[in-house]
Amino acid sequence: MISDNQLLRNLDKLHTTKLGRIRIEHNLSLTNREVIEFCKEKILNPEAIMNRKGKNWYVKIDHIIVTINANSFTVITAHTEG
């Protein structure tokens, strides 16, 4: 985990769109879970591996990859590895 980065400093700005929420719920088979809170939990996990590539952050944890726009802090998608 990167202890001091732009993503962590702006975690309060994390959000998604209606379609993003639907996509994430479907990809991760989430039911009765708030998508953004779920993503925040994953990002804050000490085992999370965060990388910024171009305009996006990629967070890998528990065989899940969360993709976040680095400028708007919009969670674009999340899916399982493999």
Side-chain angles (χ1 to χ4, degrees), residues 11-17 21 24 36 40 68 72-76:
L11 207 55
D12 60 317
K13 296 179 183 176
L14 206 66
H15 67 281
T16 193
T17 63
R21 183 177 306 107
I24 295 163
I36 293 301
K40 284 181 181 180
I68 304 152
S72 66
F73 301 101
T74 303
V75 180
I76 299 165

Side-chain angles (χ1 to χ4, degrees), residues 39-56:
C39 291
K40 284 181 181 180
E41 288 173 17
K42 296 299 178 186
I43 293 166
L44 290 171
N45 186 312
E47 301 295 319
I49 299 170
M50 294 181 231
N51 294 302
R52 182 170 175 178
K53 294 181 186 173
K55 64 179 183 173
N56 293 329

Side-chain angles (χ1 to χ4, degrees), residues 3-61:
S3 61
D4 182 33
N5 68 39
Q6 185 182 19
L7 178 58
L8 292 176
R9 286 191 308 270
N10 291 284
L11 207 55
D12 60 317
K13 296 179 183 176
L14 206 66
H15 67 281
T16 193
T17 63
K18 182 177 180 179
L19 290 177
R21 183 177 306 107
I22 292 167
R23 182 172 43 252
I24 295 163
E25 287 172 347
H26 178 274
N27 290 349
L28 300 180
S29 301
L30 295 178
T31 55
N32 300 322
R33 292 288 313 259
E34 173 53 47
V35 169
I36 293 301
E37 290 306 314
F38 176 85
C39 291
K40 284 181 181 180
E41 288 173 17
K42 296 299 178 186
I43 293 166
L44 290 171
N45 186 312
E47 301 295 319
I49 299 170
M50 294 181 231
N51 294 302
R52 182 170 175 178
K53 294 181 186 173
K55 64 179 183 173
N56 293 329
W57 281 98
Y58 298 91
V59 180
K60 291 184 181 185
I61 181 71

